[in-house]
Amino acid sequence: MATAERDLARGAAGIAVENPATGGVIAAVTATSPQEVGALAARARAAQPAWAALGFDGRAQVLRRAQKWVTDHADRIVATIVSETGKTHDDAVISEIPYTASALGFWARQAPHYLADEKVRSSSPFLAGRKLVVRYEALGLVGVIGPWNYPLVNSFGDCIPALAAGNAVILKPSEVTPLTSLLMAAAMRECGLPEDVLIVAAGDGATGAAVIDAVDMVMFTGSTETGKKVMARAAETLTPVSLELGGKDPMIVLADADVERAAGAAAYYSMQNGGQTCVSVERVYVEAPVYDEFVDKLSRKVAALRQGASSGPGTVDVGAVTSPPQLDVVERHVEEARRAGARVLTGGAARDGDGRFYAPTVLVDVDHSMACMREETFGPTVPVMAVRDADEAVRLANDSPYGLSASVWTREAARGEALARRIECGVVCVNDAQLNYLALELPMGGWKASGLGSRHGAAGIRKYCRQQSLLVTRFAPPVDLQFYPFRARTTKLFGRAVRLLYGRGKRA
Ligand code: NAD
């Protein structure tokens, strides 16, 4: 029996993990108390030097084995994810497995390139002949704190580049969904990761706070509200943080868009994963000439969605609301909008019976005074608003505290790209949404209240490292001009050299 399963079978006091699609308790996981985190950190720190000493090739071997493990055991991982989130089998297969399998190979391959020594040439003549190098070294111990909506991608997924760089990791998954992280920690041991290099500390926010105190860097994914607390706590020890936070992603549909594709995409990207994706389509602005056609197509598609407990591929389209407080948020947003004059074209209520479900919902006649257009809903709802033109759409898209990602839909790709550049978001897709997440080469990070720093690309692994600059002088005279004692003649020479080098341009 694998360690993770032994943990679960033990039924020890701790976290009762629920299946949100059935309402049944499926496992009990021992929680790590805040007081225990220090000892875990000491173990991880003791294990880290040997892991770093394996070098890129040695670590890549483990990551490649893990890649094979993930594809060989995809069914088991999917079953674990589905059981603790209530998401559909298809959501787990389409989003969680391909990302993780590709990320394991990507970071194994790219880590040595992104973290290779960089030779730098200086334009300063004062440095002629000096060797300048930028290098990266693993920080030591990284704390990854994750949310419940993607227990594989947004918890274990962020450990991969940290491990590839040579760090040890303490992973603090959401207390709502700890099972997938425990499974992956056991899997990594099976694939040859030395003991204690990846330690899972299941627990709530207090355990998360203790992790912040114990590590050299925090990679946090979760709500903006908690992100602020994480940053404040990390400030006490000057621990660097990378924050991937909430969003209110706008979708802009221009009059010349392929309306069928745009409506299909709006239905999919607002309802996929039950709308519980940080980069879900959370609000839609449609140019007046195609508004009616778009709304008609979208509401038909959403009304046709099958919802329920997923029993395998293709059985349902939309799963459960994973976390109990989230259902309250969804209900509040829809009810407030309704009371303020919005119309519900389909859905609009929680479902009775077992499990926690909210019917896929389309809202129209909405405006920016409503929470459903301003706050993150994070559920299966899609509010749609008509706009006069693209300028109004961009203005409304930017009228938000968030800036995670956005999409623009038009047959004129160049115009779409020009509009994309005016949107205040870390990522903007034209005639697509969310797919950028699979481009591990492309940085992804929020602006404004959506985050700090980014994942993916070179910055996505360098953040787990200390950067060191080296200046090496091989050939030099016994005395440099600036050495003591100061001499008026030499100082004047410096002044003349500066004027000659930098002072020859025109003033205006
Ligand atoms: P959350 O902020 O409630 O919790 C996230 C994690 O933080 C959990 O593990 C929790 O136990 C921990 N935590 C809580 N209080 C803490 C504290 N004081 N110190 C340290 N850790 C603490 O978020 P959630 O409800 O689990 O997840 C949903 C949110 O995550 C949404 O807002 C969503 O947009 C966001 N999210 C963002 C991204 C992204 O990439 N930007 C990806 C997925 C989810």
Side-chain angles (χ1 to χ4, degrees):
M1 204 187 234
T3 319
E5 284 179 343
R6 266 202 307 275
D7 269 358
L8 308 186
R10 195 159 66 196
I15 302 166
V17 184
E18 179 208 8
N19 181 338
T22 63
V25 171
I26 50 170
V29 170
T30 312
T32 301
S33 71
Q35 295 72 30
E36 289 169 314
V37 170
L40 295 189
R43 270 168 45 198
R45 285 189 189 282
Q48 186 265 337
W51 171 241
L54 283 182
F56 289 114
D57 288 347
R59 297 194 296 271
Q61 259 185 24
V62 175
L63 298 181
R64 289 210 178 88
R65 266 185 241 129
Q67 183 180 42
K68 179 84 172 80
W69 195 97
V70 166
T71 51
D72 286 351
H73 297 81
D75 289 347
R76 183 161 160 215
I77 303 172
V78 166
T80 307
I81 295 172
V82 169
S83 73
E84 65 178 344
T85 58
K87 67 174 73 181
T88 66
H89 180 98
D90 312 71
D91 278 328
V93 169
I94 293 169
S95 299
E96 303 245 36
I97 301 293
Y99 175 88
T100 308
S102 91
L104 283 159
F106 176 82
W107 292 114
R109 192 174 61 249
Q110 286 303 119
H113 301 296
Y114 286 145
L115 302 184
D117 283 7
E118 275 176 70
K119 270 204 168 176
V120 174
R121 242 177 224 274
S122 173
S123 59
S124 171
F126 299 114
L127 295 174
R130 266 72 174 187
K131 180 179 162 189
L132 307 174
V133 177
V134 181
R135 63 177 286 269
Y136 301 92
E137 185 180 282
L139 278 164
L141 179 59
V142 169
V144 174
I145 302 177
W148 45 258
N149 59 331
Y150 283 92
L152 187 62
V153 169
N154 286 145
S155 287
F156 176 68
D158 284 321
C159 301
I160 303 169
L163 292 170
N167 294 287
V169 176
I170 295 189
L171 167 58
K172 210 299 281 171
S174 166
E175 58 274 38
V176 181
T177 55
L179 303 184
T180 307
S181 292
L182 290 167
L183 175 64
M184 291 314 297
M188 291 304 287
R189 287 283 293 130
E190 210 176 307
C191 295
L193 188 74
E195 193 167 359
D196 292 338
V197 171
L198 172 64
I199 297 181
V200 174
D204 60 12
T207 303
V211 168
I212 298 169
D213 294 343
V215 297
D216 300 315
M217 185 268 177
V218 179
M219 169 65 220
F220 173 81
T221 305
S223 64
T224 298
E225 199 187 335
T226 310
K228 288 179 187 171
K229 290 185 199 160
V230 168
M231 196 167 170
R233 181 86 178 211
E236 288 172 23
T237 47
L238 282 181
T239 301
V241 293
S242 185
L243 305 174
E244 297 288 342
L245 309 178
K248 189 73 192 169
D249 287 11
M251 171 182 198
I252 296 178
V253 182
L254 300 183
D256 72 342
D258 176 341
V259 178
E260 177 60 30
R261 176 171 165 78
Y268 179 68
Y269 290 115
S270 64
M271 302 297 157
Q272 170 268 351
N273 211 46
Q276 302 159 115
T277 301
C278 53
V279 287
S280 289
V281 166
E282 284 255 336
R283 51 195 170 118
V284 185
Y285 304 99
V286 187
E287 270 194 306
V290 292
Y291 175 79
D292 288 340
E293 183 190 353
F294 177 87
V295 167
D296 180 58
K297 285 181 188 292
L298 173 64
S299 38
R300 281 173 203 275
K301 289 177 196 297
V302 172
L305 295 175
R306 301 159 299 162
Q307 188 177 41
S310 180
S311 57
T315 52
V316 287
D317 302 306
V318 180
V321 175
T322 302
S323 150
Q326 205 59 46
L327 184 61
D328 301 336
V329 175
V330 178
E331 285 185 315
R332 176 169 63 80
H333 284 193
V334 174
E335 280 321 303
E336 277 182 18
R338 218 196 299 246
R339 275 203 301 278
R343 276 185 302 137
V344 175
L345 296 187
T346 183
R351 217 182 64 175
D352 290 335
D354 292 340
R356 192 164 40 247
F357 293 95
Y358 194 89
T361 299
V362 177
L363 285 166
V364 291
D365 299 343
V366 291
D367 62 44
H368 272 219
S369 69
M370 299 174 185
C372 71
M373 295 298 278
R374 305 197 61 82
E375 297 171 20
E376 186 180 48
T377 307
F378 220 57
T381 64
V382 57
V384 190
M385 190 172 162
V387 290
R388 259 188 330 273
D389 53 25
D391 285 343
E392 186 183 16
V394 170
R395 183 178 62 72
L396 289 168
N398 289 341
D399 176 25
S400 171
Y402 294 108
L404 194 54
S405 75
S407 62
V408 179
W409 301 75
T410 167
R411 282 203 169 84
E412 214 186 304
R415 185 174 169 227
E417 193 181 321
L419 282 184
R421 288 167 189 264
R422 292 169 52 196
I423 297 175
E424 296 162 2
C425 282
V427 175
V428 187
C429 299
V430 177
N431 295 321
D432 255 313
Q434 293 187 9
L435 287 190
N436 62 284
Y437 211 95
L438 286 177
L440 291 154
E441 299 78 2
L442 198 59
M444 188 238 164
W447 291 8
K448 305 198 276 188
S450 288
L452 195 69
S454 62
R455 53 164 68 95
H456 303 162
I461 188 163
R462 288 179 183 167
K463 69 185 176 188
Y464 294 127
C465 297
R466 285 190 183 89
Q467 178 183 296
Q468 186 179 47
S469 296
L470 302 175
L471 183 152
V472 180
T473 301
R474 280 165 296 183
F475 310 106
V479 178
D480 276 358
L481 275 181
Q482 73 275 20
F483 285 5
Y484 290 128
F486 287 147
R487 280 176 296 265
R489 205 172 140 259
T490 322
T491 303
K492 281 181 191 157
L493 199 65
F494 269 101
R496 274 206 296 281
V498 169
R499 275 197 300 282
L500 195 68
L501 286 165
Y502 311 117
R504 283 179 299 172
K506 292 215 167 68
R507 275 237 213 140

